[in-house]
Amino acid sequence: MQQEVDAAPRSSVVSFGDRVAETVERKRSQIVLGIDPRVDLLPLELRAGAHASRSAAADAFARFSRGLVDAVSPYVVGVKVQLAFFEALGSDGMAAFEDTCEYARNAGLFVIADGKRGDIGSTARAYADAYVQDAEGTKPLVDALTINPYLGGDSIEPFLTACRRSGTGIYCLVKTSNGGSADVQELTLSDGRPVWHQVAELVAEWGADLSGEHGLSSVGAVVGATYPRAVGEARRLMPQAILLLPGIGAQGATPADVARAFTSGPASALVPVSRSVIYAFKVDGADWRTAAAAEAARLQREVWAASGW
Amino acid sequence: MQQEVDAAPRSSVVSFGDRVAETVERKRSQIVLGIDPRVDLLPLELRAGAHASRSAAADAFARFSRGLVDAVSPYVVGVKVQLAFFEALGSDGMAAFEDTCEYARNAGLFVIADGKRGDIGSTARAYADAYVQDAEGTKPLVDALTINPYLGGDSIEPFLTACRRSGTGIYCLVKTSNGGSADVQELTLSDGRPVWHQVAELVAEWGADLSGEHGLSSVGAVVGATYPRAVGEARRLMPQAILLLPGIGAQGATPADVARAFTSGPASALVPVSRSVIYAFKVDGADWRTAAAAEAARLQREVWAASGW
């Protein structure tokens, strides 16, 4: 992999792990709001007209995202924005994605782009440029990107360079929350371990020299809270990784299922919650912002308590 | 996975496999032009000014893509557009991506979006909507999308539904062309096979009932031409899959390395070529369009001859 002269961190760069640690401890929250907008599920005031065109839908997504950020920012440390839903609206959607990222960062929140990207080295570098690498005079678009490990170490290298230089992070898929994760991730290797254990060891290796003062690496891992036993195993295999644990709420997991993820510190795991918060208004009939804030506050308390800190 | 009433194919839908087969046989070409634009490598007439802003760069990408399509369309069956390079220019880049796709399709070429997407079912459906699913009154943006298998079968299901309904296709990563592909894909399973063999069997299974009259499935596979032995094994494991074989040219593989991929028919493999064609002008000093056309024509002949058809 080509090394650049400017790949060294600037003296002022604080590592992603340290930034997360400081924010989690200050806000006493490990919750990340998952922004997964769908036209059909939007609050009525935003849905009206959103079917008219792609740009109208994108505008509605941006307004929904801004409203959610305003409502929940006291209770969460960041947002995880699902690229697929914005991409489905083409270039209009990507403009709304950029608006959402900027708005959330201005509100003091971390932004994780949930894109699950992965490609060979020269192309992975373009993804790093797109999301987690600062360019001349501009900040990276987001603080972290989810990535897919199937292409191996040389596909990760450009992200590591970007993380080191820009104080950003990546979350590598390790054991995902869906049922089908068994098809590849749970295949049994010749030494008896599942494939995902080996991926976890690779993640630990990739992130080994990217740890900050709090002992947390810029290279994190996605592990489904829907598999509580895997959460514990992942913690053991990747002691320095910040675990991103989707699956609480609509997918059925509970705060108790993620408790064992926090043994490396209060910020050693983050819990994204999406549908149960952003569409909470459908359950209790309250204003959508009020409903989202109440649900986020409840989850903040419950996860913090479960974490034991 | 939620089934929709309209998931059945329309009576007029021709399967992706049949569309590819007819085009390959008519044009006597198995070449796909890889469009991987980088500002620093653009021809001088396009590079001038492209550094000024993201929208200027995106405009240069669109003009480069259009010129390439005009130049090479007699010699290739399609284009493979690398999303990462367009995404790196944000919403401006995505608009240029859409322009490129539309222009290539109007020139009678297949468009493969090289995005290597993959996510849990509900999100994968948004990716299917974004790329390979037709909506009310509109065609899908592209003819096929590259996808990543790490999340397993339920992450593929929404794409299968879209392919069946819209006559589109997917290419699943199986054994990638880079050196790091060994890290996960070559891990040895308890039965002695590498992980990628099992993925190949899954791909064959996912595509089994999506074969057209030519015996080729809408579910294809990406296999690196840089591993000629793997190409032969992949052919045996996935007899109905259209193999997409990157690695010829800048990555070092030759037409002879892909010969064994074509035993399931002249259209049973496609060969993407990118840097060696789109930047051919840097080698011979000719006009960039003339140089690209000459190199594409040469590769068309060599691969067709190597294929034995």
Side-chain angles (χ1 to χ4, degrees):
Chain A
M1 195 53 51
Q2 187 182 338
Q3 288 300 316
E4 293 196 326
V5 179
D6 61 355
R10 286 90 179 264
S11 55
S12 62
V13 170
V14 179
S15 83
F16 180 66
D18 283 340
R19 293 200 289 135
V20 171
E22 285 154 19
T23 308
V24 165
E25 291 177 31
R26 178 169 48 79
K27 291 184 110 169
R28 297 174 66 87
S29 173
Q30 298 118 335
I31 302 291
V32 169
L33 180 74
I35 300 185
D36 296 14
R38 295 158 208 234
V39 171
D40 290 339
L41 298 179
L42 291 176
L44 187 60
E45 68 184 83
L46 298 175
R47 195 165 73 238
H51 282 102
S53 68
R54 231 171 48 164
S55 77
D59 183 58
F61 280 14
R63 287 193 289 147
F64 187 48
S65 300
R66 285 173 172 237
L68 289 168
V69 165
D70 290 342
V72 306
S73 65
Y75 316 111
V76 306
V77 291
V79 294
K80 180 177 78 66
V81 192
Q82 178 48 261
L83 269 160
F85 296 112
F86 291 88
E87 259 179 271
L89 301 177
S91 53
D92 295 315
M94 291 306 284
F97 173 80
E98 292 164 352
D99 180 86
T100 296
C101 294
E102 191 185 351
Y103 196 82
R105 291 184 76 163
N106 287 341
L109 301 179
F110 290 109
V111 178
I112 302 171
D114 195 0
K116 301 183 174 65
R117 299 301 195 248
D119 212 306
I120 63 169
S122 52
T123 305
R125 194 163 153 178
Y127 281 128
D129 287 345
Y131 296 104
V132 290
Q133 166 80 56
D134 52 6
E136 192 128 354
T138 65
K139 289 175 70 171
L141 179 59
V142 298
D143 297 287
L145 174 70
T146 58
I147 61 158
N148 187 308
Y150 191 70
L151 284 95
D154 57 9
S155 76
I156 309 297
E157 199 60 48
F159 293 110
L160 302 182
T161 302
C163 291
R164 190 174 285 116
R165 177 169 187 241
S166 304
T168 46
I170 51 174
Y171 289 95
C172 184
L173 300 183
V174 173
K175 167 66 183 165
T176 56
S177 61
N178 58 320
S181 70
D183 292 343
V184 177
Q185 299 160 30
E186 293 281 2
L187 293 173
T188 304
L189 295 173
S190 55
D191 60 8
R193 294 176 308 148
V195 163
W196 77 262
H197 276 209
Q198 176 61 24
V199 172
E201 291 191 3
L202 287 169
V203 167
E205 200 178 288
W206 296 333
D209 67 345
L210 281 160
S211 277
E213 293 177 13
H214 290 75
L216 297 173
S217 175
S218 306
V219 180
V222 177
V223 179
T226 44
Y227 298 104
R229 190 172 151 185
V231 170
E233 292 167 347
R235 180 73 292 160
R236 182 176 53 76
L237 291 164
M238 300 173 286
Q240 298 187 306
I242 302 176
L243 303 182
L244 189 66
L245 305 165
I248 286 186
Q251 293 183 63
T254 67
D257 292 328
V258 299
R260 65 191 93 183
F262 292 95
T263 54
S264 295
S268 63
L270 296 175
V271 175
V273 288
S274 179
R275 284 172 273 177
S276 65
V277 173
I278 70 177
Y279 303 123
F281 69 93
K282 293 189 181 286
V283 179
D284 69 3
D287 171 78
W288 55 279
R289 287 156 291 224
T290 309
E295 184 65 5
R298 186 181 69 79
L299 286 161
Q300 175 197 9
R301 286 191 304 273
E302 289 187 12
V303 171
W304 187 266
S307 78
W309 293 92
Chain B
M1 193 57 47
Q2 184 181 344
Q3 289 299 318
E4 292 196 326
V5 179
D6 61 356
R10 287 87 178 266
S11 54
S12 63
V13 171
V14 178
S15 83
F16 181 66
D18 284 340
R19 293 199 291 135
V20 172
E22 285 154 19
T23 308
V24 165
E25 291 177 31
R26 176 167 52 77
K27 292 184 107 169
R28 296 174 66 86
S29 174
Q30 297 117 336
I31 303 291
V32 169
L33 180 74
I35 300 185
D36 296 14
R38 293 157 210 237
V39 169
D40 290 337
L41 299 178
L42 290 176
L44 188 59
E45 68 185 83
L46 298 175
R47 196 167 70 237
H51 282 102
S53 67
R54 230 170 49 164
S55 77
D59 183 58
F61 280 14
R63 287 192 291 147
F64 187 47
S65 300
R66 284 173 172 238
L68 289 168
V69 166
D70 290 342
V72 307
S73 65
Y75 315 111
V76 307
V77 291
V79 294
K80 178 176 79 66
V81 191
Q82 178 49 260
L83 269 159
F85 297 111
F86 291 87
E87 258 179 272
L89 301 177
S91 52
D92 294 315
M94 291 306 285
F97 173 80
E98 291 165 352
D99 181 84
T100 297
C101 294
E102 189 183 354
Y103 196 81
R105 292 185 75 163
N106 287 340
L109 300 179
F110 289 109
V111 177
I112 303 171
D114 196 359
K116 302 184 173 66
R117 301 298 195 247
D119 213 307
I120 63 168
S122 52
T123 305
R125 193 161 155 180
Y127 281 128
D129 286 345
Y131 296 104
V132 290
Q133 166 82 57
D134 53 6
E136 190 130 353
T138 65
K139 289 174 69 170
L141 179 60
V142 299
D143 296 289
L145 175 70
T146 58
I147 60 158
N148 186 308
Y150 191 69
L151 284 94
D154 57 9
S155 76
I156 309 297
E157 199 60 48
F159 293 110
L160 302 181
T161 302
C163 290
R164 190 173 283 116
R165 175 168 189 240
S166 304
T168 46
I170 51 174
Y171 288 96
C172 183
L173 299 183
V174 172
K175 166 66 183 165
T176 57
S177 61
N178 58 321
S181 69
D183 292 342
V184 177
Q185 298 160 31
E186 294 281 2
L187 293 173
T188 305
L189 296 174
S190 55
D191 59 8
R193 295 176 308 149
V195 163
W196 76 263
H197 276 210
Q198 176 61 23
V199 172
E201 291 190 4
L202 288 170
V203 168
E205 200 178 289
W206 295 333
D209 66 345
L210 280 160
S211 277
E213 293 177 11
H214 291 73
L216 296 173
S217 175
S218 306
V219 180
V222 177
V223 179
T226 44
Y227 298 104
R229 189 172 152 186
V231 170
E233 292 168 346
R235 179 73 291 162
R236 180 175 55 75
L237 292 164
M238 300 173 284
Q240 299 187 306
I242 302 176
L243 303 182
L244 189 67
L245 305 165
I248 286 186
Q251 293 183 65
T254 67
D257 291 329
V258 299
R260 66 191 91 184
F262 291 96
T263 54
S264 295
S268 62
L270 296 175
V271 176
V273 289
S274 178
R275 285 172 271 178
S276 66
V277 173
I278 70 177
Y279 303 123
F281 70 94
K282 293 190 181 285
V283 179
D284 70 2
D287 170 79
W288 56 280
R289 286 155 290 224
T290 310
E295 184 65 7
R298 186 182 69 78
L299 286 160
Q300 174 196 10
R301 287 190 303 274
E302 289 187 12
V303 171
W304 188 266
S307 79
W309 293 92

